[in-house]
Amino acid sequence: MTHIEAQKTEIDGQQGRPVSAWAMRRAMLSEFWYYFSQNKGAVIGLVVFSIIVFLAVFAPIIAPHSPSLQNRQALILPPAWMDGGSWSYPLGTDAVGRDIFSRLIFGARFSLFIGVVVVALSVSVGVFVGLIAGFFRGWIDTAIMRVMDVILAFPSLLLALVLVAILGPGLTNAMIAIALILQPHFVRLTRAAVLSEREREYVISARVAGAGKLRLMFVTILPNCLAPLIVQGTLAFSNAILDAAALGFLGVGAQPPTPEWGTMLAEAREFILRAWWVVTFPGLAILTTVLAINLMGDGLRDALDPKLKQS
Amino acid sequence: MLRFFLYRLALVIPTFIGVSIVAFAFIRLLPGDPILLLAGERGITPERYEQLQAVYGFDRPVIVQYLDYVAGILQGDLGTSLVTKRPVLQEFFTLFPATLELALCAIILAVVIGIPAGVFAAVKRGSWFDQSIMGVALTGYSMPIFWWGLLLIIFFSGFLGWTPVSGRISLLFFFEPVTGFMLIDSLLSGQAGAFKSAVSHLILPTIVLATIPLAVIARQTRSAMLEVLGEDYVRTAKSKGLAPKRIIGLHALRNALIPVVTTIGLQVGVLMTGAILTETIFSWPGIGKWMIDSVGKRDYAVVQGGLLLIASVIMIVNLAVDVLYGFINPRIRR
């Protein structure tokens, strides 16, 4: 008997007695974890991501140096294991003598912050607009979806770049621009999910029982559309980190001396043929973080998508 | 089929109008007075200001200005670059072949490697081969390609000295562009070594630009293939005793490729985003670098025109993919 079957009998065994909401939630959570942990990559992703979060939260304690402290005696020092390296600068120093390792740890704060803000913005706006489009249909729906088509017609990075040109360079404006280019995906997903849910019996019965429009939208329908939104949310999280780093690299995102990973790469570009470590480590940090999130995203999809569970 | 095509075309028109509004609004949304922005640091006399307002039509109602702008677009007038003083459309067509050449090479590379990799991964589902291919694909999908380009430069140009760092061809060669495609032009020129030089300049940017589409195509092919391999007609073919190669190549792959075609079409937008980064890293003289440089130089006329042109290219390709999809999959034609 598999884990899930065991659980089913556990719940079915209490026939006649109503299952408490808490027990139901616990069973759902453990079912979710069962499927999520089946995907080894997802578990690795979760572990790596937890480490990055830990580093970001305790950055001031863990980092050996201040991210902005310049040491004129240690310019472009190679990593510790190479000739001329020193263990007080484990990953070497950059062109003005700042410790790369400390800057990367503080950079994790920026990347995670960007991810959280962008996802929060694009999910809240996107889900709200998508609910309206899917729930009310008619001309509102048509108008909203055409506007989303227009946003999706531009290459995402180009549109972000132009928006930042309008708003002015900087991290805040870069996040706003990235949230704007990511939210059409949430609008489309929410709308599609609402369209397939709104004619279901439970929605009709809620309507007959006298539920208001807001209650129908947010309390009745929305919780049943969450699975694809969560998966899309993880994708948006990693995309936000990548796009923000790209904008930083192009010089319109976070501005120096902020230890944002993309900005660090932009500053390091002129040294690529002289000091490989200045370029290699910030990019490796971006890749590791994005890969960890995408691995988790794959696991979430496996755990939340009932169609894939069968195969 | 014609009705299907016209229906799809009609859907594109409102999007195009929206795109033109965005491009039109761009200069007016920039902080500050557009004329002062255009004048730059030197400043401007009040008389000249009035004069320029009349020239650009900023003294008329916004609706009239917009209609004027659209009328200009329809006649091929997208304004003049503030820096080079050349028409934006002309600059676009000078630089577009460079981007097209790079993008075509990248998508060919992505398809040629991505589809077989996806097919083999699906056929050998669960094997170490499948797992490593999908691991590599997810890494490629997560790749910050601007960093990937720098790494390749460090290794192949710096360490091994095999490939040049930037540009489309060595400065030793010069010939008039005929097609705009360096690979073809260098052959046509008949100069010894020109073609080799063009190829060596093209290799690294192609790899960088192909990375994400390759990963997406491999993943998509694998999942489409897995779905098809579970279908009844594949089981029938198996029980008839057909050779596995024939089942995969003839029965499964043909059906699995239908959604993959759409995926390949959708990569055009990804390629344009990638081109902006790739061209910046390799100093590739295409429209991605053109746009970045224009944003940097505040050449807003070029940014405005470029936005419209690039979005139009993407819309045309998406329309073509839609129609092609209807052609190979009659079920959706209705």
Side-chain angles (χ1 to χ4, degrees), chain A residues 146 149-150 152-159 161-163 165-168 235 238-239 242-243 245-247 249-250 252 262 265 269 272-273 275-276 279-284 286-287 290-292 294-295 298 301 311, chain B residues 11 14-15 18-19 22-23 26 29-31 125 135 138-139 141-147 150-151 153-154 157-158 165 212 219 269 272-273 276-277 280-283 291-292 295 300 303 306-308 310-311 314-315:
Chain A
R146 290 292 84 79
D149 283 352
V150 171
L152 290 172
F154 293 100
S156 57
L157 191 66
L158 181 63
L159 192 60
L161 200 76
V162 167
L163 282 171
I166 295 172
L167 300 167
L235 264 181
S238 57
N239 276 335
L242 274 180
D243 286 348
L247 288 178
F249 179 73
L250 294 171
V252 295
L265 273 175
R269 245 186 96 181
I272 55 168
L273 294 180
W276 58 267
V279 177
T280 307
F281 296 124
L284 205 57
I286 303 173
L287 176 62
V290 173
L291 186 57
N294 284 343
L295 280 169
D298 272 8
R301 199 197 48 210
S311 60
Chain B
L11 279 184
T15 315
V19 165
V22 171
F26 165 68
L29 284 175
L30 286 168
R125 184 182 187 187
L138 194 67
T139 311
Y141 181 70
S142 310
M143 188 65 86
I145 58 164
F146 44 100
W147 174 67
L150 295 177
L151 275 196
I153 290 179
I154 291 178
S157 309
V165 178
I212 291 181
R219 279 165 66 94
M272 277 314 306
T273 287
I276 292 173
L277 294 165
T280 307
I281 296 163
F282 291 97
S283 303
M291 288 302 281
I292 289 284
V295 171
Y300 294 125
V303 178
L307 265 181
L308 185 81
I310 293 172
I314 294 181
M315 281 191 296

Side-chain angles (χ1 to χ4, degrees), chain B residues 269-321:
Chain B
V270 177
L271 280 176
M272 277 314 306
T273 287
I276 292 173
L277 294 165
T278 311
E279 291 179 2
T280 307
I281 296 163
F282 291 97
S283 303
W284 188 265
I287 49 174
K289 188 167 180 302
W290 180 55
M291 288 302 281
I292 289 284
D293 290 347
S294 305
V295 171
K297 287 181 199 152
R298 298 172 179 271
D299 191 344
Y300 294 125
V302 168
V303 178
Q304 185 179 36
L307 265 181
L308 185 81
L309 286 167
I310 293 172
S312 305
V313 169
I314 294 181
M315 281 191 296
I316 291 169
V317 175
N318 284 347
L319 177 70
V321 171

Side-chain angles (χ1 to χ4, degrees), chain A residues 126-146:
Chain A
V127 167
F128 184 69
V129 175
L131 269 176
I132 291 178
F135 190 81
F136 289 107
R137 305 297 312 273
W139 66 268
I140 301 182
D141 182 26
T142 312
I144 289 174
M145 294 325 285
R146 290 292 84 79

